[in-house]
Amino acid sequence: MSKSSDLAQCLLCKKDYSRKGRRTTSLKNHLKSVHKEQFEVLMARETKKLEEKINIEKTPVQKSKTDAKQRNVAEYFQSAKLWGASNPKAKKLDKCIAEMLVMDDLPFSHVEDIGFMRLMTEAAPLYSLKQRNFYSSMICSDMYESVFKEIKLIIDEVKQDNKLPFTTEVWSDTSAGVSLLSLTAHTINKEFERTNFVLGAEPLEERHTGEYISKMFDEMLMKWDISRTNVHCVLLLIRIRWHISGSNAVRALGDDNPTGTLVFTLVVQAMVAQGSCDSSLTSMPPTDW
């Protein structure tokens, strides 16, 4: 705009407008109604100048409060959503819960108990708690494979220069109709500390004859690439029931053993009819020391 002190000429359309009192109201109204694009540019410039002036006049404390308020609003909207499955925090909690189930020997159903669900809702409200199948799959696949590889490396290292001692046990629950054969390896680490690893617990689905137990024992060894030549000795823990013959268990590791593996027999529990000892104990073959 340009002209005399009482008049102003629009540089765009060359029309004259009054500016008595040196005010710019009529000029702005002209821009707003006739030259809308230029009016928006003008208003943007004035708004920017006003914001810069306010920021300059603010004290450091006022500025920090404004920034904190803006962050709080953004954080609120961001936190309104539950963590997705790919969220790093969610993945970390998934792993921690799975490890808790393993280390504390808890059932998978623990994650669906009311007390645990209330705890997680309070402690991590943005975490989406999964069902038991998720954690069981995680433990039985990902975590198992990871632990298996680490233990396998230790066993392979020990096998290079030494033989491994083992303990094994036949465990049965007549009420549930389940029998298991366990296998535990024992060794000493570089700090000369005793270490043991439970390598397996396989179900026994046939009669507990010496041949069958020997077969299952060998299969568990093969899973870890351990031959009987790598076996130093076996400590056999026998939990004797009416239908389990102690001599069968010893025969599985002693009579059939072509490598001369030392077999030590320890009877830790005798549960027989009328409180009498199983007659098979008197007929056990002698063991080598």
Side-chain angles (χ1 to χ4, degrees):
M1 301 285 181
S2 64
K3 201 71 175 175
S4 63
S5 60
D6 294 330
L7 293 175
Q9 186 181 71
C10 176
L11 297 178
L12 299 174
C13 61
K14 307 300 181 182
K15 291 183 179 181
D16 295 334
Y17 292 91
S18 173
R19 57 185 302 266
K20 290 181 180 181
R22 297 182 180 275
R23 295 180 179 179
T24 59
T25 303
S26 61
L27 302 178
K28 286 184 177 179
N29 289 337
H30 169 69
L31 282 176
K32 184 176 181 180
S33 59
V34 180
H35 311 292
K36 293 182 179 181
E37 292 183 3
Q38 286 76 10
F39 177 76
E40 290 178 357
V41 172
L42 176 65
M43 294 307 297
R45 289 177 181 174
E46 291 187 353
T47 302
K48 184 178 180 180
K49 289 180 180 180
L50 181 61
E51 290 177 350
E52 291 176 351
K53 182 180 179 181
I54 292 174
N55 287 332
I56 293 173
E57 293 176 352
K58 275 186 178 181
T59 64
V61 174
Q62 290 174 326
K63 288 182 179 180
S64 63
K65 286 183 177 179
T66 302
D67 294 340
K69 185 176 181 181
Q70 292 174 345
R71 286 197 303 270
N72 290 337
V73 172
E75 289 172 358
Y76 171 79
F77 285 105
Q78 184 177 3
S79 64
K81 298 180 180 179
L82 291 176
W83 295 334
S86 59
N87 187 290
K89 293 182 179 179
K91 285 186 174 182
K92 186 176 181 179
L93 278 177
D94 289 341
K95 184 179 179 182
C96 288
I97 292 174
E99 289 177 345
M100 176 196 70
L101 295 175
V102 174
M103 297 176 68
D104 294 342
D105 196 20
L106 295 171
F108 295 129
S109 60
H110 181 74
V111 297
E112 297 175 359
D113 290 342
I114 295 177
F116 181 75
M117 294 172 68
R118 288 179 60 187
L119 171 65
M120 293 304 299
T121 301
E122 185 67 25
L126 300 183
Y127 176 69
S128 180
L129 191 62
K130 284 80 170 176
Q131 294 183 340
R132 69 178 76 179
N133 292 340
F134 173 84
Y135 302 102
S136 63
S137 176
M138 185 180 214
I139 292 171
C140 296
S141 58
D142 300 341
M143 292 182 65
Y144 175 82
E145 289 298 326
S146 176
V147 174
F148 180 90
K149 290 177 181 178
E150 291 187 19
I151 296 178
K152 183 73 164 52
L153 289 174
I154 297 173
I155 291 177
D156 290 344
E157 184 178 356
V158 174
K159 286 192 310 179
Q160 292 179 2
D161 303 310
N162 303 280
K163 293 186 177 182
L164 286 161
F166 295 89
T167 54
T168 185
E169 178 182 7
V170 178
W171 177 89
S172 296
D173 186 344
T174 54
S175 61
V178 176
S179 296
L180 297 174
L181 177 66
S182 66
L183 178 66
T184 305
H186 303 263
T187 186
I188 297 176
N189 60 23
K190 295 180 180 179
E191 287 74 32
F192 213 71
E193 298 173 338
R194 188 172 67 86
T195 308
N196 59 76
F197 305 102
V198 178
L199 302 184
E202 296 294 331
L204 299 176
E205 299 175 346
E206 299 180 17
R207 290 183 65 248
H208 304 160
T209 63
E211 293 77 9
Y212 178 61
I213 295 175
S214 178
K215 173 188 173 185
M216 296 299 297
F217 183 80
D218 284 337
E219 287 180 356
M220 285 194 287
L221 290 178
M222 289 174 60
K223 184 177 181 180
W224 296 89
D225 294 330
I226 302 173
S227 66
R228 288 211 177 193
T229 56
N230 299 126
V231 178
H232 171 62
C233 65
V234 179
L235 176 62
L236 178 61
L237 286 78
I238 309 173
R239 296 183 181 271
I240 303 173
R241 313 271 178 170
W242 293 280
H243 64 287
I244 300 179
S245 169
S247 59
N248 280 342
V250 175
R251 189 178 300 113
L253 301 173
D255 291 355
D256 254 351
N257 187 358
T259 63
T261 302
L262 298 178
V263 180
F264 302 89
T265 305
L266 175 63
V267 179
V268 295
Q269 182 181 8
M271 298 181 63
V272 295
Q274 299 178 354
S276 61
C277 293
D278 192 325
S279 60
S280 63
L281 292 178
T282 61
S283 62
M284 283 185 180
T287 57
D288 298 325
W289 295 81

